Amino acid sequence: MLSRYMFALLGPVVAGSILISLPAYSSEAGNHQASAETRTELDAIGVRDKLARLPNAEKARGKPIPGQVRTDVYAKLQVNPELRAFLDFFVDLAESSEDQPAVEDLMMTVLERRGMRGHIRVQVLKVMQDYMPYRMALKEQEPAPGDSAELTALREKHLGEEQARLLF
């Protein structure tokens, strides 16, 4: 049986379409709950070297990874706004599309260390490979506020109609 500390290292556990978030415990005696300011998931899983390769790594310091990666009962990735929040955390660490390999490497390591199965990690990677170019194009084009037609066209160009609808 895995200890509570092991669950903290694995992160949220996915059971069907229900996400089970388990409390994080420190490795110190007494199993006191770890402070988010002192020990984040990125610290716990040991990815400092991968994080250091990204230009905006400081944005991740002391912050939990938002969003959730969920699957349905058939172990198929659920594409939804929670997944978008998860992807946004990693995309925000990049300056340009040249950072995409480092972003993907960090994200895949996080998913692996959370215990996500390989085929689910591949599904998340496929969404990221569409989503990051969209975010970089959004940064370059900066659609006018309130111009939903231009924004919708940009999303559908990079994400496809269905995936854009599900993410947003």
Side-chain angles (χ1 to χ4, degrees):
M1 182 171 175
L2 295 175
S3 70
R4 290 181 177 194
Y5 180 70
M6 291 297 292
F7 280 120
L9 292 177
L10 294 174
V13 177
V14 177
S17 63
I18 300 171
L19 180 81
I20 304 167
S21 294
L22 300 167
Y25 289 87
S26 72
S27 60
E28 299 171 2
N31 281 340
H32 299 291
Q33 193 159 356
S35 167
E37 293 78 38
T38 59
R39 188 150 175 86
T40 65
E41 179 180 8
L42 292 176
D43 294 327
I45 61 175
V47 292
R48 278 190 199 161
D49 58 326
K50 293 177 188 270
L51 187 58
R53 297 186 320 199
L54 293 163
N56 295 324
E58 70 281 351
K59 288 183 177 181
R61 294 202 203 315
K63 294 183 180 172
I65 300 172
Q68 297 176 350
V69 175
R70 294 182 181 205
T71 62
D72 61 19
V73 294
Y74 303 105
K76 185 173 184 281
L77 179 67
Q78 290 184 350
V79 178
N80 56 33
E82 290 175 346
L83 176 63
R84 186 182 81 230
F86 177 82
L87 298 175
D88 280 336
F89 175 85
F90 294 98
V91 173
D92 287 343
L93 302 176
E95 280 292 319
S96 70
S97 58
E98 293 175 7
D99 299 319
Q100 188 160 351
V103 168
E104 290 173 355
D105 185 39
L106 175 62
M107 181 190 72
M108 294 297 280
T109 301
V110 167
L111 290 172
E112 178 183 5
R113 303 252 170 98
R114 282 184 172 185
M116 284 287 160
R117 291 190 266 162
H119 72 281
I120 297 168
R121 292 193 311 262
V122 169
Q123 291 175 36
V124 174
L125 179 62
K126 287 178 181 177
V127 176
M128 176 61 96
Q129 289 172 340
D130 294 334
Y131 187 69
M132 188 161 174
Y134 157 73
R135 284 283 311 274
M136 294 298 125
L138 185 63
K139 187 189 292 188
E140 289 174 15
Q141 292 183 2
E142 297 181 23
D147 189 353
S148 62
E150 184 180 358
L151 187 58
T152 299
L154 187 62
R155 287 175 179 165
E156 290 178 358
K157 174 184 175 187
H158 290 278
L159 303 168
E161 188 176 327
E162 181 181 359
Q163 190 164 269
R165 181 182 53 78
L166 293 171
L167 284 171
F168 294 93

